[in-house]
Amino acid sequence: MTGETGGMRDLGSGGVGSDLAGEPETLRPEPTTPSAWRSRLRRPRPLSVVAALALALFALWGIGGPLFGTSSLSATGTLTQSGPYPQAGFDDSSGGNALLYDTYTSMIPGTILFKADLEHGHFAGSDPNGDGGGALGSVPDDALLSPLTVPYYVLPTWMGPAYTQLLILICGAGGSFLFLRRLGLSRVAGMLGGLAFAGSGFMVMWVDFPQTRTAAFIPALFWTVERFLQTRRIRDAVLIAVPVASMLLGGFPSVTGYAGVTVCCYALARLLAVRGAEGLRRTVLGGAGVLGGIIAGACLTAFQLLPFQGLMKTWLIIGRSQTSDQHLMPTSVLTTVAPWIFGTGNPQYRGYYLSSNAVESVDYLGAAAVVLVLVALALPWRARPLLPRSVWTFFAAGVVVWLQLLYIGGLPLRVLQDTTVSRALFGQNFIGRSRSILGFLLAVLVAIGFDVVARRRERVVAAAHRLRPWWPATVAFVAFGIAVASLAVGFDEASTTGATAIGHAAAVNLFVHQALYAALFAFGALACVGVLWRTGRSEGPSLEAAGVWRSTRFAAAAVLPVLLAWQSTNFVTQFFPRSPVSTFYPVTDTHAYLMSNLGEDRYASTSTGMVFGTNSAYPVRAVNGHNFIDKAFAAMIDAVPYAAIQYETYIDFAAEQATATSPILDQLGAEYWVSALSDPIFGEPVLATMDGSTLTLQPNQPVTVAVPVTGPLRGVGITPAGTLALGPDDSLDVVVHDGSGTVAHTDRLATGMQSGSQFDVPVAADSVAAGTALTATITWHGAQPLTVEADQGKAAVDAVAGQDDGLRLVHVQDSAIYQRLDAQPRIRWASQSTVVTDQSQRLGLLASGAVGANEVVLSDDAPAASGSPASVTVDEDGDTTVSATVDAEGAGYLVVADSDQAGWKATVDGAAARLRAADQGVVAIAVPAGKHVVTLTYAPPHAALGLAVSGVTLVGLVAAVLGEGWWIRRRRRRRAG
């Protein structure tokens, strides 16, 4: 009998048939003696060695130098190309990747902070350093408790990304291998499937993100489910909980959701396939075991999931709703075989030009891998006997379904988005993230396709088989049609969108080159498949040709893993970052100044002055940040001029004086404003007098001129003229003198200098006494002379004078740092209170500057403050605890200007106290007269319940495993007796 019943291994039979468990039979001679069998078991088979070497090549060469400490697998090479870093000497850094922006502004800084707290014996449940404070280890967002994050904690942090990526590859490839072997496929097929999954587009493009730490456990999830379906043991049902919990701890729920839905469908298909043989009761129990294992995995992580669910209700969630037309462009299917056909992964060089960026779009599998997928789909009567019942049907159908949702969308996707049960998964997440599960399904078909052609096949005797060529012909015709149509539309895309983005010649040449490159791998794989199929008959060749036959067959089989590894390694090496170790969050002069002067307060910054989110790595507190933002706090930020929140996790500010002087920032304890040297200098501009002449500044030759203003000074500028020939290290050095000596000194890089445009250099001379005459000594440091506008034979110098605007320029080196003179302490006493229940009125009052320095605006009715003063001493200001001693002459409020309205609790002298919403987005605690200790402690919602659920679940799972073992031993003793 043929089809799914041929070579059948029912669910309860143990799964792996001994005749199919090793290498393809035609690739090795059969042992004939017991000693030969033992030798065979000890010696690795040559083809297995080739496949293992291919996998090792992909892992070690793909990650490369970061494994050996020569660089870091982080995108900090891009980080140091902005903010204060270029001015600090990192302007020539390389090896980063701008598409990995979120990793170095959020994930890695959070991990650095969490690790630092662990080293001091603390669990950093929250990060107070950005966005007014936000959740950290108490929620799974950054995968801080994922098993795959461990390298960050045991190695130097800059090496963590490389070894975490290595663990991801091992986990993804290893889980795939175990699953495929459990299905009865060969070792080589298992390794090829693991290689295809580990090198798939999702697993590569999301490097350094938590997404891959989630997706890496997809194969393990399928393995544990299949293992349970075959054994029906309680301990194997318990085992399902391990990958489920690991995925949930990985912090990307949509990937877990896609995998969970798919594996449940897989289990259902497997159970229905044998329901007649097993009976309804056993089938139901099998389904209950799978579902129970998944639920148990979720319960194990309840200590993070419940706080996450509770806090998510308080976060600003915008821009997540999806529609059925939001899917990958159908032409991007070409990235399956040619990942950079629409531009490279690094936008700094031939940037990716489809509507979604490369991280969201590239769906790479490999040209050789796609050939094997087509083999598996085209020869079902060869594939199905190799597998347990319904497996081929499920994976073939699963690939079709996910491809339809991913590239076409339409009615099926709309139904999923509008259905209550699936709306959260499909209606709030971009469907492009389903590349994670699609990559695994395709990888399984890669392994099946290999075994279809690599195993010796029986002579076909059934007449029905001779009638089946129409099916492979149909698959080939459809694949060819899709390829031709995609190439035609893709070439048009390159000629239009690509031409606009990177130039017509560059786009077309890249498209053609990538297509031909992929075709070479595809034709190579087709040739190998042809050889394996042609030589795969069971009767074999004549005795004289046996050696050549086996050698040819071995060579064809060995080339396939090499082709997969070669193209995948090339793909990875072009995308993975390899940044100099020196760029891993270096401390610049700007960071050092803030760390020395901020105390309990925070700073605010322009988007160019500091790279937001990175401050957690140092750590220093900032209003800016990259984390989920509390809704009330977000409304407060939106009231700052030019500061509307464009993305739900981003807080950044424009280089505008109205922003820098906003009273909202005063309420938030923003003591300093940080701007880049290239940002506009705040103050009163005084233009130079010019007579139309020019002056040539010779390199390294100082020129001294009078500054056209007296007294406080914030900037000095010149106007370049003529043609500029600038080098990356060219700079303009300005030293300001008064009658007694040097007042200020700044050396600004010439980046951005343009002929005919004023080029200002900030100088920290804002404290000079009024009326003081100043001179500026200007020195051009460049390879070529610099021509500037002049007046009467001297350089024409502009100036920016200080003014009474609530700012004082106090420090200029890598950045320009203004002290905000009206900023209130972040932890302060409010002797007066005002209640404003309407949010718009409350925000208007706060933004107007009418709120006094000792006043707090409360959102709900509360006792009035007495108006009496108090002294406040901050005793502790940590990540999860803030404590202060208040000595008050009368009742009032201790204000803590953090977004602690959710997830925090307060006590006064150890007794529970109410946290009141204050100044729109922060908190206040009522304190009576006298000396009291006020403490705020991080207590995320449902944390205690979550810990209890996780603990009870863990104990229950251990008890179930031990109980099953006891029961089995007891039953055996009874039988023996």
Side-chain angles (χ1 to χ4, degrees):
M1 178 181 265
T2 60
E4 290 194 353
T5 58
M8 182 192 302
R9 284 170 301 284
D10 287 344
L11 293 177
S13 66
V16 179
S18 60
D19 59 324
L20 298 178
E23 297 291 339
E25 295 176 359
T26 57
L27 301 181
R28 66 182 191 275
E30 294 297 330
T32 56
T33 65
S35 61
W37 275 107
R38 288 193 294 271
S39 177
R40 168 60 68 189
L41 292 173
R42 288 193 297 268
R43 292 196 308 270
R45 300 181 178 98
L47 192 56
S48 294
V49 172
V50 172
L53 289 175
L55 193 52
L57 169 72
F58 169 74
L60 299 179
W61 187 8
I63 299 175
L67 287 174
F68 308 101
T70 60
S71 57
S72 176
L73 195 75
S74 62
T76 53
T78 302
L79 158 69
T80 53
Q81 293 171 15
S82 55
Y85 302 106
Q87 190 67 32
F90 293 95
D91 54 305
D92 59 348
S93 59
S94 59
N97 189 324
L99 287 175
L100 304 179
Y101 182 80
D102 287 350
T103 64
Y104 62 74
T105 61
S106 180
M107 289 80 179
I108 296 178
T111 305
I112 292 173
L113 178 66
F114 188 77
K115 176 183 179 179
D117 272 32
L118 282 182
E119 290 173 344
H120 290 89
H122 304 298
F123 183 87
S126 71
D127 176 3
N129 295 293
D131 294 336
L136 189 62
S138 58
V139 297
D141 293 359
D142 292 334
L144 295 171
L145 300 184
S146 168
L148 302 181
T149 308
V150 169
Y152 279 95
Y153 307 136
V154 299
L155 295 171
T157 313
W158 56 268
M159 292 187 75
Y163 281 89
T164 289
Q165 184 62 30
L166 182 61
L167 281 186
I168 288 170
L169 295 180
I170 293 172
C171 181
S176 299
F177 178 83
L178 291 173
F179 175 67
L180 295 167
R181 291 288 288 157
R182 175 60 59 174
L183 294 181
L185 298 179
S186 68
R187 292 184 180 88
V188 178
M191 285 186 272
L192 257 65
L195 174 59
F197 175 69
S200 61
F202 187 90
M203 299 301 293
V204 172
M205 300 304 293
W206 289 95
V207 62
D208 287 347
F209 284 88
Q211 280 82 332
T212 53
R213 276 171 263 178
T214 303
F217 287 98
I218 292 175
L221 175 61
F222 274 80
W223 170 63
T224 54
V225 168
E226 178 62 29
R227 181 185 176 93
F228 168 73
L229 292 176
Q230 292 183 12
T231 65
R232 302 302 177 88
R233 296 178 302 202
I234 292 177
R235 60 178 176 268
D236 289 319
V238 169
L239 192 61
I240 296 172
V242 175
V244 172
S246 299
M247 293 179 75
L248 290 170
L249 293 174
F252 203 69
S254 64
V255 171
T256 305
Y258 295 140
V261 168
T262 307
V263 82
C264 286
C265 293
Y266 173 78
L268 181 62
R270 296 281 286 116
L271 289 166
L272 292 176
V274 294
R275 66 189 184 280
E278 289 197 333
L280 179 61
R281 179 176 176 274
R282 185 168 171 80
T283 300
V284 171
L285 289 176
V290 172
L291 189 60
I294 293 174
I295 293 173
C299 290
L300 282 175
T301 60
F303 69 96
Q304 278 195 330
L305 292 185
L306 291 183
F308 173 77
Q309 187 271 339
L311 288 171
M312 187 172 64
K313 298 176 182 178
T314 69
W315 291 337
L316 177 69
I317 304 295
I318 57 175
R320 285 185 174 264
S321 297
Q322 300 290 304
T323 60
S324 59
D325 59 351
Q326 291 177 293
H327 52 76
L328 294 185
M329 294 177 61
T331 51
S332 64
V333 73
L334 290 173
T335 63
T336 305
V337 295
W340 308 132
I341 199 166
F342 296 113
T344 64
N346 193 333
Q348 296 175 347
Y349 175 70
R350 291 182 176 179
Y352 199 81
Y353 55 79
L354 292 187
S355 56
S356 297
N357 67 47
V359 173
E360 295 280 17
S361 299
V362 172
D363 197 17
Y364 173 81
L365 187 68
V370 169
V371 169
L372 292 177
V373 169
L374 294 175
V375 169
L377 294 175
L379 301 171
W381 56 88
R382 285 287 301 140
R384 292 163 74 181
L386 302 178
L387 302 163
R389 290 179 177 179
S390 75
V391 169
W392 180 91
T393 303
F394 172 82
F395 280 96
V399 164
V400 172
V401 169
W402 281 114
L403 282 173
Q404 198 281 334
L405 294 175
L406 183 61
Y407 288 103
I408 300 175
L411 180 60
L413 182 57
R414 187 182 307 120
V415 170
L416 292 171
Q417 291 170 340
D418 294 340
T419 303
T420 303
V421 176
S422 57
R423 183 178 299 136
L425 182 58
F426 293 94
Q428 299 295 319
N429 292 280
F430 178 51
I431 192 63
R433 280 79 184 272
S434 66
R435 291 176 297 144
S436 53
I437 186 63
L438 176 62
F440 174 68
L441 299 180
L442 290 170
V444 172
L445 292 179
V446 169
I448 295 172
F450 177 82
D451 265 8
V452 163
V453 296
R455 294 194 187 205
R456 188 170 58 208
R457 68 183 189 273
E458 300 298 330
R459 181 183 300 180
V460 177
V461 295
H465 285 281
R466 289 193 292 270
L467 301 178
R468 287 179 171 169
W470 65 268
W471 176 252
T474 301
V475 172
F477 177 78
V478 171
F480 181 77
I482 292 174
V484 170
S486 299
L487 285 169
V489 177
F491 186 82
D492 182 68
E493 190 76 29
S495 301
T496 54
T497 307
T500 302
I502 62 176
H504 184 273
V508 170
N509 290 340
L510 186 65
F511 184 91
V512 173
H513 176 270
Q514 287 287 309
L516 291 175
Y517 183 70
L520 288 176
F521 285 94
F523 287 133
L526 281 170
C528 292
V529 166
V531 170
L532 289 171
W533 184 259
R534 182 69 182 84
T535 60
R537 296 175 181 172
S538 59
E539 65 270 18
S542 64
L543 185 61
E544 293 79 8
V548 176
W549 178 77
R550 280 195 293 267
S551 297
T552 302
R553 188 164 172 76
F554 174 82
V559 167
L560 283 172
V562 173
L563 290 176
L564 261 72
W566 185 358
Q567 190 183 12
S568 295
T569 302
N570 187 46
F571 166 50
V572 166
T573 54
Q574 291 186 53
F575 187 75
F576 277 6
R578 291 175 178 82
S579 301
V581 176
S582 61
T583 67
F584 195 81
Y585 300 97
V587 177
T588 68
D589 170 77
T590 301
H591 295 99
Y593 183 88
L594 293 172
M595 288 188 284
S596 298
N597 292 277
L598 270 179
E600 291 85 28
D601 297 327
R602 51 169 61 98
Y603 72 88
S605 168
T606 67
S607 58
T608 49
M610 293 282 274
V611 182
F612 75 156
T614 58
N615 53 291
S616 291
Y618 292 95
V620 285
R621 281 187 172 87
V623 181
N624 308 61
H626 187 177
N627 202 345
F628 281 107
I629 311 168
D630 180 82
K631 292 178 183 177
F633 190 85
M636 196 176 185
I637 297 300
D638 273 334
V640 176
Y642 307 104
I645 297 175
Q646 300 295 326
Y647 300 96
E648 59 189 346
T649 58
Y650 289 11
I651 291 182
D652 231 340
F653 296 106
E656 298 284 347
Q657 188 157 3
T659 308
T661 57
S662 169
I664 297 290
L665 297 182
D666 296 339
Q667 306 294 325
L668 293 175
E671 177 73 12
Y672 294 99
W673 176 269
V674 181
S675 61
L677 300 191
S678 58
D679 288 333
I681 302 172
F682 301 142
E684 181 181 351
V686 178
L687 299 180
T689 301
M690 302 178 187
D691 61 8
S693 64
T694 61
L695 176 71
T696 300
L697 302 178
Q698 298 296 329
N700 306 316
Q701 294 185 12
V703 173
T704 300
V705 294
V707 177
V709 299
T710 60
L713 179 69
R714 294 179 182 174
V716 172
I718 51 91
T719 302
T723 302
L724 301 182
L726 303 176
D729 297 322
D730 292 356
S731 66
L732 188 67
D733 185 285
V734 175
V735 181
V736 178
H737 307 273
D738 62 7
S740 59
T742 299
V743 175
H745 176 209
T746 304
D747 187 10
R748 177 188 167 185
L749 290 172
T751 305
M753 180 181 287
Q754 296 180 355
S755 179
S757 297
Q758 185 174 321
F759 185 82
D760 289 331
V761 178
V763 291
D766 213 0
S767 298
V768 171
T772 303
L774 302 171
T775 61
T777 299
I778 300 173
T779 307
W780 170 248
H781 298 298
Q784 302 294 327
L786 176 68
T787 302
V788 299
E789 298 287 350
D791 180 47
Q792 299 181 6
K794 294 184 179 181
V797 175
D798 304 295
V800 179
Q803 60 183 14
D804 185 15
D805 53 7
L807 300 173
R808 180 181 294 130
L809 186 55
V810 293
H811 186 82
V812 180
Q813 188 166 326
D814 303 331
S815 303
I817 303 178
Y818 298 83
Q819 185 174 13
R820 302 183 68 260
L821 304 178
D822 297 326
Q824 300 181 31
R826 182 179 135 261
I827 302 173
R828 63 182 182 271
W829 177 253
S831 59
Q832 299 179 4
S833 61
T834 302
V835 175
V836 181
T837 57
D838 180 77
Q839 177 173 293
S840 60
Q841 294 179 11
R842 189 163 56 244
L843 288 171
L845 178 63
L846 291 167
S848 69
V851 178
N854 296 317
E855 184 179 1
V856 63
V857 178
L858 302 173
S859 301
D860 299 301
D861 290 336
S866 66
S868 301
S871 64
V872 176
T873 303
V874 178
D875 303 317
E876 182 178 358
D877 191 18
D879 296 335
T880 56
T881 302
V882 176
S883 182
T885 299
V886 178
D887 193 353
E889 296 180 14
Y893 290 90
L894 179 71
V895 179
V896 179
D898 294 339
S899 60
D900 296 346
Q901 294 180 11
W904 288 77
K905 65 181 181 181
T907 61
V908 177
D909 298 329
R914 179 181 172 183
L915 267 179
R916 299 180 183 275
D919 293 341
Q920 171 58 35
V922 301
V923 294
I925 305 96
V927 182
K931 191 171 185 179
H932 305 279
V933 175
V934 181
T935 303
L936 276 71
T937 306
Y938 184 63
H942 317 306
L945 176 61
L947 280 171
V949 171
S950 297
V952 170
T953 302
L954 179 61
V955 171
L957 293 178
V958 172
V961 172
L962 295 177
E964 183 188 41
W966 171 82
W967 174 256
I968 292 174
R969 290 192 298 271
R970 181 172 178 269
R971 188 171 58 178
R972 287 174 179 171
R973 285 195 300 267
R974 284 185 174 182
R975 289 177 178 175

